[in-house]
Amino acid sequence: MRVSNSLSGYYRTGTSGKRVVNLGHPGVSGLRARVRAVYADPSSGDHVNTTTYSAWSSLYFTS
């Protein structure tokens, strides 16, 4: 089974430091996802010099 879905965007963490994102395919194994962290400092008014991106991390979901 091939599942194609693209979730793209920024998800702000909650006060606990976590965010749950539903991939939309419960019970399906073989899903792959890539995630990375972004720190954007909105107080600077300049998103070039203070925004930082982490390396990509790959996730693979199995049953």
Side-chain angles (χ1 to χ4, degrees):
M1 170 186 242
R2 181 169 170 81
V3 176
S4 178
N5 189 8
S6 179
L7 292 175
S8 180
Y10 295 95
Y11 301 93
R12 188 178 296 250
T13 57
T15 56
S16 65
K18 297 188 273 186
R19 169 61 67 193
V20 175
V21 177
N22 185 341
L23 299 178
H25 301 285
V28 176
S29 63
L31 292 177
R32 296 175 188 263
R34 289 190 333 152
V35 297
R36 70 177 174 175
V38 177
Y39 172 76
D41 183 3
S43 65
S44 72
D46 177 2
H47 294 294
V48 175
N49 294 321
T50 60
T51 300
T52 303
Y53 298 89
S54 73
W56 286 100
S57 294
S58 295
L59 305 172
Y60 183 66
F61 298 90
T62 61
S63 59

